[in-house]
């Protein structure tokens, strides 16, 4: 079986687990008052070229929902892409942790928010129209849930519109490293220098094991977030084992190396099937995901060939390249797709 | 420095981290649909001698709050000890996840609920008195937050009172293993056979690293809990790394062995200082915690001697024995206490 | 000034205030345990030809949000029209009282839900997909927020789709009387006989003063709703003054008479301007609201002529006919519209 | 039957209903943008000798819970008397609207908070102890739930302790007028001049019909409260009918006159039974409530004599004097009590 189901079906990078094991020495204060977590603050501040506060959390859902709850208020409106993970795949955690906050889906290309559509949506709620709620934040999924990546000027356009009305900017960086690898810019440029106040910093999908993080650029959000994390059961008493993972994740560029690997695999597949008749890329492949319009008979054939992937609909399949995908595996997928699309199975469609 | 501050300042048992590392092989479906988590269900069902559902979670706060939220309703009253962790140390996570549920503290000896006081409290809310809320659950901390252990007949008395009014029984087993080691009964006897519907199954304080669990005996609670865990950001996508830890925790009796070690250390200290003038055990030492009334000058002296512990008040100190405390360390504490209580420092009090 | 701004800018029907004053006699138990409220139960049960439970509440927002909260669970998905009042005009009260429930807007004609679009939306969430939430209810605004009315077979189609997946049906009847007057059917036919489980029964917009009501057909919803209303501060201690209003509202067909009056006025205006060039009805006029595409210069002219109405956009105006609108007032509006649309002001557009 | 059950079993003062009826003229903008509500702001600002914001609400539960929610944050701790209405009789509305805020009961005499006990409770939560929550407010019930009245210096002592730690002060003035009549001070002295930030201004218990109000002294709380009221379904669209009631309530001292009447009746009864053997006032009678320790046989006798009152326990009865209680009714109660306490019925105890 060759697994293209999701980033999270994969292994963890061995370096990360080694760091966790290495942290198992001596005693340390609980709930983040340990030295590993202190060093994590310094390391990430260096990485982001500004003083940040980093809070390890168990999952991306927690990172997103608690970031938005920290922005508040509970009657806030949070603008996001229609395809955004917070809108489609987190059981409305944002609405729950936010105490009733409401997501406002905005249209746009390939899982991204169109800046003009955002401006229009925002303009539709005049200040003082209490019955509509109060615009509070915009959520930017980077990379998007359709595997595309916002350019810096797109992020800045959204941020500027947001800030002009007093909204905060949250970036859902479940695939932050993949987007960063794609853009080739600095973490600072893709976050606070482009107006991001608070970041869900994903690690799990890119070789992590049991933790992601929230990185806070806007210091006004820190205190409220800290107590909400505690109340959310997201503050490990033995925090060192989480902080050590995150340290290893960014050490010597590991995170970028892993993301480059998975991005490259996806790009390789996309390029190799570009001319295959009967297939159509639903979105540009800019990170590690491939969304492919594909005859259902071909999907059957792929499964028969031993490939695992998600059927999003009768004719839409998603393939995710993990950091540990091999060249043999990508070659195999390309070969199967080419064969199946040419075969009688296809004619039967 | 010799550290008696908390169970969570300690290391993880090496076996647990080894299991985590060993799980880093192959691909596996996310969010608990993996084989490790499937085996965990079987293993715990065997352990508890009944079919249970086990949900790994990041922290004990999450385990407690989400267990109570699963019981519901959001207007429920949850009876607990005045000293209960959910009442004093979890930032009202229960009230938050419970959507407004309310804790009702009940008096009792040494952090336990007095069954008669519970019956009286319950009788004060007549059915139909909507303005008072609706009694929904009783929370039993086993071992208690003062280091004592409910006897089986006490648990049963509370359960019977609860069930007679339709309440569910939640056990906060952050130190379940310590209590079990003390009682010498089976996990089944201390839980569902005594009326427990849902259990916060602690591992972190007893040699775990990054996860605890919820063990559900009452099948009615499973579906609602499952979605609430997802919404709470408590369902790891790479769940295998959590499930593997919990498997290792109970394998070959590791958990009981660890708990016996820490319990024994606490008992040894308690016995050795029983006759020291100026000291007074605030509660019987039945698990791994010692609450000691102690002159503040003696506390100063202990710190000077290199001991770490928590000052709960000017004259109340807490000492926690971890699974990896050594006999040399317990001897050292006893020696220091004896010397300090005999010394001029004491006279200055 | 002639006021077409909203139903709620108007007076109360004198009969309703008289009933309130008449109730000011003797003493009565609080919180709905009085005789007026008891009679209200009987009267509405008779009116709806089935045993119902009626809860007076202060506002339609409360009626809607608490109805949906009573349906639950807090992770529920509630399908509604994109234009639904709960989605656009109640500050996400449903999400708040529902403890995080999420609204799912569904497309359809003129503020109604298209039954096929609803079926499609529902089919997109498979049972067990916890990360998407759990479909829980459909919300039907009758009359719709664009002034149209669901036919009985439309309601039934939505109900059937809903029930086939275990969803409950909530009707937002802020303008229930207007819709009923339009359809000419019985209250029972337009509610529980068409699958409605719980109804926001509006009175304020149709001559009421200070209360609306929730009418519960599905007895399973009563107990949870009762305590949630209490917790919501929606249970008046001197409930008789609310119940007396609702009794008067339905006495001798007052409510239908009022609704017929306002409906007829709207229909009269709509008919009289059907042939006016430059105007376009945005939706069929089936209740007491008129949504008119209209040049902004004409809007200016109307205001200059002394008419009050809401500008929904630069070229969209809403006119609402209240129960106490006079024929002279409707004639005046028609005359002005005809004159303005013919005038140079229009040419300047 | 002579009714001593509660303030809310009574009539409304006719002046209040007359004002409501008188407001039924012309059209007016909805949701509080009308002239009656504007005048209410001015009138209450004059009454309280400072610029205030007044929000009419349906019930005292709404007033209390939304006042506390406006103070926030959702992880706040609210200190209150053990006997406080918010703690015992509002279905934890405060916890619900507050998004998980927690009530911390504090001991004190006769339903009041002891200032020293409050200081001690507050000192037990050090800044930064996130696991305990964050002290946010103190709730002062004036008059208390045992019918006593805080002196101004008591209110100020609580306020000073509160403010020294950054807490806000909320007064539950369900019986504000009764307390004011007792103290004989100005509304300003009993509220903001003594440190109160926000006030639940009760009217219903003292001759009102369908509304109470929130009076906000601290302008920082206004904006958040306004949107939360809207979301709570506590903003009537035809607000004029509520505002008109509140205007009438305070016009020409009506409210104080009503409260003096009920207070005087309670005082008269208390004085007249002071020497009756077998009876004991459980708390000083300082407002309109009498809490009486009384043999259960005497309670039976009273009921036989046609009196209605609440049995709080087997030997504790509560008698509430309403604004419309007559001298004949108070005489009758005194006479019955004297007779029953002297009679064989008593001997049988």
């Amino acid at each position: 079986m060759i697994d293209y189901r999701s980033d999270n079906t994969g292994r963890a990078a061995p370096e990360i687990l080694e760091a966790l094991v290495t942290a198992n020495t001596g005693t340390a204060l609980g709930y983040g008052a340990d030295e590993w977590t202190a060093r994590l603050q310094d390391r990430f501040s260096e990485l982001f070229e500004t003083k940040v506060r980093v809070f390890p959390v168990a999952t991306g859902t927690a990172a997103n929902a608690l970031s938005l709850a920290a922005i508040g208020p509970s009657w806030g409106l949070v603008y996001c892409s229609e395809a955004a993970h917070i809108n489609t795949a987190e059981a409305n955690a944002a609405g729950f942790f936010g105490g009733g906050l409401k997501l406002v889906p905005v249209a746009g290309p390939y899982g991204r928010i169109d800046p003009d559509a955002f401006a229009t949506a925002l303009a539709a709620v005049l200040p003082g129209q209490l019955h509509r709620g109060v615009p509070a934040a915009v959520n930017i999924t980077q990379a998007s849930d359709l595997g595309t990546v916002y350019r810096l000027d797109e992020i800045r356009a959204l941020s500027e519109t947001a800030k002009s009305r007093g909204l905060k900017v949250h970036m859902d960086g479940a695939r932050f490293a993949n987007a960063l690898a794609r853009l080739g810019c600095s973490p600072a440029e893709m976050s606070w220098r482009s107006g991001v106040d608070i970041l869900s910093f994903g690690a799990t999908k890119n070789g992590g094991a049991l933790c992601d993080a929230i990185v806070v650029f806007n210091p006004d959000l820190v205190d409220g977030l800290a107590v909400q994390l505690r109340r959310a059961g997201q503050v490990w008493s033995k925090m060192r084992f989480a902080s050590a993972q995150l340290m290893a994740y960014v050490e010597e560029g590991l995170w970028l190396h892993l993301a480059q690997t998975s991005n490259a695999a996806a790009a390789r597949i996309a390029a190799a099937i570009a001319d295959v008749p009967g297939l159509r890329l639903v979105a540009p492949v800019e990170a590690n995901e491939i969304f492919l319009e594909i005859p259902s008979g071909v999907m059957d054939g792929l499964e028969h060939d031993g490939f695992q992937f998600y059927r999003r609909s009768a004719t839409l399949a998603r393939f995710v390249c993990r950091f540990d995908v091999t060249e043999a595996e990508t070659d195999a997928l390309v070969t199967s797709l080419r064969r199946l699309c040419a075969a009688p199975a296809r004619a039967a469609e």
Side-chain angles (χ1 to χ4, degrees), chain A:
Chain A
M1 303 296 279
I2 299 181
D3 189 341
Y4 284 99
R5 288 176 296 185
S6 181
D7 333 55
N8 59 41
T9 61
R11 287 184 289 277
E15 296 88 335
I16 290 173
L17 299 189
E18 279 162 29
L20 188 160
V21 171
T22 304
N24 197 26
T25 175
T27 68
L29 269 176
Y31 304 105
D34 61 88
E35 288 173 30
W36 288 264
T37 307
R39 285 201 296 272
L40 180 69
Q41 308 305 314
D42 294 340
R43 183 70 188 89
F44 270 58
S45 295
E46 185 188 300
L47 196 69
F48 281 96
E49 303 171 53
T50 188
K51 188 165 174 47
V52 301
R53 185 72 184 269
V54 195
F55 295 97
V57 295
T59 66
T61 295
N64 286 336
L66 284 153
S67 292
L68 293 170
I71 289 172
S74 69
W75 50 90
L77 301 174
V78 175
Y79 296 83
C80 64
S81 164
E82 290 168 340
H85 210 254
I86 59 169
N87 189 41
T88 64
E90 299 184 350
N92 201 23
F96 173 71
F97 279 109
L101 72 73
K102 189 178 173 191
L103 302 179
V104 182
V106 178
Y110 307 124
R112 302 199 302 279
I113 298 172
D114 174 62
D116 291 338
F118 172 45
T120 302
L122 201 50
V125 182
L126 301 179
Q129 289 189 307
L130 302 185
H131 58 299
R132 299 203 183 281
V134 175
V138 62
N139 162 273
I140 298 173
T141 48
Q142 177 76 322
S144 87
D145 286 83
L146 284 175
T148 68
V149 173
Y150 284 92
R151 275 59 187 159
L152 292 187
D153 58 353
E154 288 178 294
I155 301 174
R156 284 175 196 144
L158 292 172
S159 293
E160 274 163 33
T161 300
K163 307 258 156 163
S164 72
R165 278 285 295 273
L167 281 74
K168 299 282 192 304
V169 179
H170 169 243
M171 180 171 278
D172 175 358
R175 292 186 182 91
F176 188 83
N178 297 89
L180 199 63
R182 168 75 184 191
L183 293 187
C185 64
S186 71
E189 284 175 300
M190 206 171 81
S191 57
W192 64 276
R193 285 209 176 108
S194 295
V196 175
D197 292 284
I198 190 166
L199 167 68
S200 294
F201 181 88
T204 305
K205 290 183 191 294
N206 186 38
L210 287 175
C211 69
D212 294 307
I214 299 174
V215 179
V216 191
F217 305 109
N218 184 331
D220 296 345
L221 303 180
V222 166
D223 287 351
L225 177 58
V227 66
Q228 286 180 88
L229 284 165
R230 192 69 181 264
R231 182 171 69 166
Q234 289 286 345
V235 181
W236 283 288
S237 59
K238 292 182 175 170
M239 183 65 87
R240 57 167 133 172
F241 294 115
S243 297
Q245 289 180 59
L246 291 167
M247 289 289 283
Y249 177 63
V250 299
E251 214 49 58
E252 297 187 27
L254 174 63
W255 63 319
L256 289 175
H257 173 68
L258 300 176
Q260 283 153 356
T261 306
S262 54
N263 280 5
R268 204 159 55 232
I269 296 168
I273 62 172
D275 63 342
V276 177
L279 298 182
R280 190 178 71 82
L281 287 172
V282 167
V285 175
E286 300 178 351
N288 65 326
E289 294 188 287
I290 302 167
F291 291 85
L292 210 54
E293 201 172 279
I294 185 173
S296 70
V298 174
M299 291 202 228
D300 296 342
L302 283 175
E303 286 175 350
H304 185 263
D305 285 358
F307 293 97
Q308 296 173 302
F309 56 94
Y310 280 133
R311 295 179 180 229
R312 283 288 179 92
S313 78
T315 57
L316 177 61
R318 187 188 75 161
F319 302 85
V320 184
C321 293
R322 301 185 321 278
F323 80 92
D324 56 355
V325 69
T326 64
E327 203 161 326
E329 288 173 330
T330 61
D331 287 350
L333 178 59
V334 170
T335 304
S336 271
L337 277 171
R338 289 191 158 277
R339 176 175 50 76
L340 290 163
C341 288
R346 167 117 217 279
E349 287 294 306

